[in-house]
Amino acid sequence: MNHTLNGLVTHTEPKASKMVNQLREQGISHEALLTLMATIPRHEFVESAFSHLAYSATSLPIGRNQTISQPLTVARMTQWLLSYARLGRVLEVGTGSGYQTRILAHFFNKVHTIERHRPLYLQAKNRLASMGVNNVECLFGDGQAGWPQKIEMDAVIITAMASKIPLALTECLKPQGILIMPIDQPSPQIGCWRKEGDRWKCLGTEPANFVPLLEGIEHA
Ligand code: SAH
């Protein structure tokens, strides 16, 4: 686990501090998470035309009709993981910009992340490498099929909205593993569940909107 902030502190800027103060007011209380979000250069994860809005309380375009989630949503999902999951191995479905991946990489030993848009996959992979993140494995593919090598995960986080959870993603989760996922039933929300035998214990839900979880891959 890497809890040091070396190499990150130089990026802190006033807009990031303001973003973190807002997160605090909205119920995010995990200090290491808040410190990390204050130091990660979020403006480097959005399209350059929107970089002035990178620290605002809004989702933003990242290309290919996809969006980076707003800071509060990223913080909520991560705070659930930090509260309930063993911080060993996590699978993320929907790499997108790689911003959530970057945060996961700080707290988990190993991050596996899958993206179905090839250009986004390549961009996030290069971006993370250039930031010196070396505990992430990026994959171009349909995340609904799970990770190709059947590795057991301590947590699964899906960052696109579905009506039901793909079977492959529940099967790779260890007993007592944590699932974070947006669902559109009965209304758009993000939820956190623990796998308890063949049952799911709900640990929390919050209203949230996401782009849809889609089938197949896109090469361009
Ligand atoms: N966590 C991302 C959020 C990106 S939005 C971030 O921090 O930027 C959700 C992403 O999920 C999009 O990039 C979309 O292309 C991807 N996605 C949707 N369905 C998918 C699937 N079946 N497999 C892999 N990625 C998928």
Side-chain angles (χ1 to χ4, degrees):
M1 235 177 294
N2 173 15
H3 282 294
T4 65
L5 293 171
N6 292 346
L8 284 171
V9 277
T10 50
H11 296 294
T12 310
E13 50 171 280
K15 283 181 187 169
S17 312
K18 201 173 150 212
M19 174 187 85
V20 163
N21 288 339
Q22 278 178 359
L23 292 175
R24 224 185 268 281
E25 286 163 15
Q26 289 164 312
I28 304 302
S29 57
H30 193 288
E31 285 305 322
L33 173 59
L34 290 166
T35 307
L36 183 69
M37 289 183 73
T39 51
I40 290 181
R42 191 170 149 93
H43 58 274
E44 292 181 17
F45 290 83
V46 302
E47 286 190 330
S48 54
F50 296 94
S51 58
H52 62 294
L53 294 173
Y55 300 88
S56 309
T58 177
S59 56
L60 290 170
I62 56 169
R64 300 301 183 279
N65 279 330
Q66 304 304 316
T67 54
I68 182 173
S69 304
Q70 63 160 297
L72 179 60
T73 304
V74 174
R76 280 233 167 90
M77 295 193 293
T78 311
Q79 186 162 270
W80 275 328
L81 288 172
L82 295 173
S83 305
Y84 301 119
R86 204 185 143 261
L87 302 177
R89 210 180 271 274
V90 61
L91 172 65
E92 178 191 35
V93 173
T95 316
S97 68
Y99 179 71
Q100 175 78 66
T101 321
R102 173 69 192 85
I103 292 178
L104 295 173
H106 180 81
F107 293 108
F108 281 82
N109 288 335
K110 181 84 188 181
V111 183
H112 301 259
T113 184
I114 310 177
E115 171 56 52
R116 66 182 290 279
H117 277 280
R118 189 169 161 81
L120 294 181
Y121 149 78
L122 285 173
Q123 182 174 259
K125 187 180 155 101
N126 292 334
R127 185 177 278 149
L128 292 166
S130 72
M131 291 177 170
V133 178
N134 56 17
N135 59 339
V136 174
E137 254 188 85
C138 296
L139 182 77
F140 167 50
D142 182 345
Q144 298 190 83
W147 197 257
Q149 293 79 31
K150 298 292 166 208
I151 303 171
E152 285 210 307
M153 303 289 170
D154 294 295
V156 171
I157 172 170
I158 308 176
T159 67
M161 191 166 275
S163 304
K164 57 178 198 244
I165 173 167
L167 191 62
L169 298 179
T170 59
E171 284 179 340
C172 72
L173 206 52
K174 285 183 186 168
Q176 304 297 309
I178 297 297
L179 170 69
I180 309 276
M181 146 173 211
I183 48 165
D184 55 12
Q185 306 285 339
S187 58
Q189 56 189 289
I190 180 88
C192 174
W193 293 268
R194 184 189 287 130
K195 185 180 188 176
E196 298 186 347
D198 51 8
R199 301 186 49 197
W200 293 94
K201 183 178 168 71
C202 182
L203 302 170
T205 58
E206 291 285 342
N209 261 304
F210 277 82
V211 294
L213 187 71
L214 297 173
E215 303 226 339
I217 51 175
E218 305 269 355
H219 283 276

